[in-house]
Amino acid sequence: MVSDTRLYGAAIAVVSGGYSLWSASTATAMGTSGWLMALLGVVVIVHGAVLLTGSADRLGDASGPLMIGYSVLMLLNQVLVGTGVTGGMGGGMNGGMDGGTMGGTTAGTAGMGWDAGMVALAILMLVSGVIMTQQRDPDGAM
C-alpha cells in the first residue's frame, strides 16, 4: 500500500510538473527559462508517477531531497525571470526573436514578473520534500 506521505508527494509532483509543462506550452517563444521548466516538468511528473508504484522503494531516501531540489530550481527560475535576469517564456507579440534579440529577452518579457501559481506550487513541493525527509513509512520506505 502507498503511504499518505508518498500520495501527497506524488500529487504535488504531478500537479507541479503538469503546471510547468502547461506554462511552457502556452508560450509563443521559449528562452532558457521555458526549456528548463518544460524539462523539469517532465522529470517531476515521472517522479510523481514513480511514487505511486512499488518502484518508489528503490528511490529510498532520495525522494525528499529530489523534491526539495526540484522546488529550489523552480523558485530560482522564478526569481531570475521575475527580476529580468533571464529570458522567460515569451508571450504575445514581444516573445521570441524581436528586434534582433533571441531567447525571449525583449522589452515585453524581460521583466514579466513572477508566476504566482508556479511559486505556490514550488513552495508546496518544498514542504512536501521536507516532510518526506522527516517521515518514514512503517516498512522503511518513503
Side-chain angles (χ1 to χ4, degrees), residues 44-115:
V44 171
I45 288 173
V46 168
H47 185 196
V50 167
L51 287 174
L52 297 173
T53 68
S55 298
D57 295 338
R58 286 189 245 162
L59 289 174
D61 293 336
S63 282
L66 283 171
M67 296 285 271
I68 292 169
Y70 303 149
S71 69
V72 168
L73 284 175
M74 288 178 173
L75 289 170
L76 178 61
N77 186 53
Q78 286 302 301
V79 168
L80 295 174
V81 170
T83 58
V85 172
T86 177
M89 294 174 280
M93 300 203 29
N94 288 328
M97 295 188 284
D98 184 33
T101 61
M102 295 181 69
T105 54
T106 66
T109 60
M112 67 186 229
W114 296 66
D115 179 344

Side-chain angles (χ1 to χ4, degrees), residues 9-29:
I12 293 296
V14 169
V15 170
S16 297
Y19 187 81
S20 292
L21 283 174
W22 176 80
S23 292
S25 71
T26 61
T28 56

